[in-house]
Amino acid sequence: MNSTTTIMDAKAIDRAITRITHEILEYNKGPEGLALVGIVTRGDILAQQIALRIAQIETMQVPVGTLDISFYRDDVAAHLAPELHTTSLPFDVNGRTIVLVDDVLFTGRTIRAALDAIMDYGRPAEIKLAVLVDRGHRELPIRADFVGKNVPSEPGEHVRLFLEQVDGRSSVEVWKAMPGERIGSAPVPSSTTKAGTTRTSHIEATKSDTTRTSREETT
Amino acid sequence: MGGLSSRHLLEIEALNSRDIDTIITTAQSFKEVNERVIKKLPTLRGRTVVNLFLEPSTRTRTSFELAAKRLSADAINMSGSALATVKGESLVDTAKTLDAMDCDLVVLRHAYAGSPHILARTMRARVINAGDGKHQHPTQTLLDLFTMRQHFGRIEGLNVGIVGDVAHSRVAGSLLPALAIMGASATVIAPPTLLPARPDVLGAHVCTDLDSILPELDVVYMLRVQQERLGRSPFPSLREYAQLFGINSQRLATLKDEAIIMHPGPVNRGVELSSAAVDTAKNLLLYQVSAGVAVRMALMYLLLGGEEDGFAA
């Protein structure tokens, strides 16, 4: 069976969020012009918590937005988001310093999608990235500016953040994935041909003249 | 999982209430996108959508075209005299030609009931029925359900009255089964000449007196008097029809406070709705139109995304 290792508990997560908050304020020299954007479904909660701490430290409320990147994924053809969440950026993006907040930084594809999504709202002065856990294995040239904890991990492992608000407990846990299981937002590791090569056998399909050749069968 | 239980959208009965819920919630996300300054998503980049409209249509075609373009799909419109069908090509041959061009989705509007089924049997591409003869108009129905859900927060238990030409209306043809799927109660209100010979097959309550039922309805769904489809005159005059089955200021006053008036458009002012009634209902009628774009985006996303998720194909 799978053995699960807890690498951060509620206390550790709390401290990491507090430190990230201070780092953001230090970098930005205060809360002016700042906006936080959390990626659903854990990043938005982290963003709220950072905003709460900023309010305590600086007595100023920074705007917080939430982002669902489902429509910006690079693998829409491969799978759909099981559940869509609303995107709401209740502030003018133009000219702001935006701190994008996510739970676990892995391949970087989610962040790539989030950057595109934010750009569709306007032209921020800059976008910084805060993550609670950086687990490595990037597939894109993306790096986090504020990191709660670096967790060296195997590609075949799950590294996941659980939060009191949605999961009933706060922790970061690592466990081995089942074969063929999706890990984070990474594509399913399997031997089946992926989109892009699905149409190569077009000529064969016409040749065999079967009227009902589905795309699945032509691969 | 995301996705629908059907590869195509040919008729509303192919969907279950969970599918319809999925479409509505997905459409809510797209509604937000349509309210942005930049109304464009990269979701269906590289996909090709063909709007095959073999019957005149402006609003539905425009709505599909916008939906495809806002999702970054390449949308091609084929309609009117530009079509090879005018040169005698059969629908099946057109389908094979489009398949050979590797299009991903065909949106079909056709004068004959059942033609989207022929297309779906022949093609590899997904097919959406955008109205087939007097049979169904499922995307209209989905946007109507979306509008009801947004207004009432639910569809189940709503008392919906469908007024007018039920016999010839594809809008009613898909709305009636959809309301049954969603657990709403439907009443058709029309003169007997505009009802099918056996109105009991509709599975709805039948009523010929609008005034008696109006105060009970949550949704008053007015069907367009389709003068182009009415062969021999089913009523003495439009004026008489308007007096008996049109919504005017007096009838507006008898509606429940929270009741809404819906219409698939385009409205014949002074027939189904008096000018005053059109102005009262205007916001919602326009809401239906904008909901249409969001719902069609949701359908394209759900039908073209997640191809490898294992559809019940």
Side-chain angles (χ1 to χ4, degrees), chain B residues 31-50:
Chain B
K31 193 93 182 30
E32 180 269 319
V33 173
N34 289 337
E35 284 152 14
R36 294 185 193 171
V37 181
I38 301 173
K39 301 167 181 58
K40 188 112 179 162
L41 292 170
T43 320
L44 294 183
R45 220 169 18 193
R47 303 306 196 87
T48 309
V49 175
V50 175

Side-chain angles (χ1 to χ4, degrees), chain A residues 69 72-75 105-114 138-140 142 185-187:
Chain A
I69 53 103
Y72 292 86
R73 301 187 70 98
D74 54 14
D75 54 354
L105 179 57
F106 184 24
T107 61
R109 288 178 192 269
T110 301
I111 304 303
R112 197 280 309 158
R138 218 77 75 240
E139 292 167 4
L140 296 172
I142 281 170
S185 61

Side-chain angles (χ1 to χ4, degrees), chain A residues 67-68 70-89 112 116-117 119-122 192-195 198-199 202 205-206 209 211-216 218, chain B residues 1-3 7 25-26 28-30 32-33 36-38 40-47 96 99-104 120-126 301-302 304-309 311 313:
Chain A
L67 203 57
D68 183 331
S70 303
F71 301 140
Y72 292 86
R73 301 187 70 98
D74 54 14
D75 54 354
V76 173
H79 73 102
L80 293 174
E83 201 184 331
L84 296 171
H85 304 269
T86 42
T87 290
S88 108
L89 300 185
R112 197 280 309 158
D116 278 358
M119 295 302 185
D120 276 357
Y121 283 87
T192 54
T193 356
K194 299 243 64 85
T198 45
R199 299 191 201 177
H202 182 192
T206 357
D209 202 30
T211 44
R212 230 195 288 189
T213 328
S214 80
R215 196 155 290 156
E216 285 78 4
T218 58
Chain B
M1 294 301 282
R7 289 187 83 223
T25 30
T26 309
Q28 280 164 348
S29 298
F30 286 120
E32 180 269 319
V33 173
R36 294 185 193 171
V37 181
I38 301 173
K40 188 112 179 162
L41 292 170
T43 320
L44 294 183
R45 220 169 18 193
R47 303 306 196 87
K96 288 191 173 168
D99 246 356
M101 292 177 190
D102 268 335
C103 75
D104 298 283
R121 277 203 301 273
T122 319
M123 297 189 78
R124 283 178 300 150
R126 310 286 158 119
Y301 171 72
L302 292 167
L304 290 180
E307 290 200 344
E308 286 147 48
D309 263 6
F311 276 86

Side-chain angles (χ1 to χ4, degrees), chain B residues 9 25 56 64 87 104 194 198 260 298:
Chain B
L9 180 62
T25 30
F64 271 108
K87 302 176 191 160
D104 298 283
L194 289 180
R198 294 267 316 272
I260 57 172

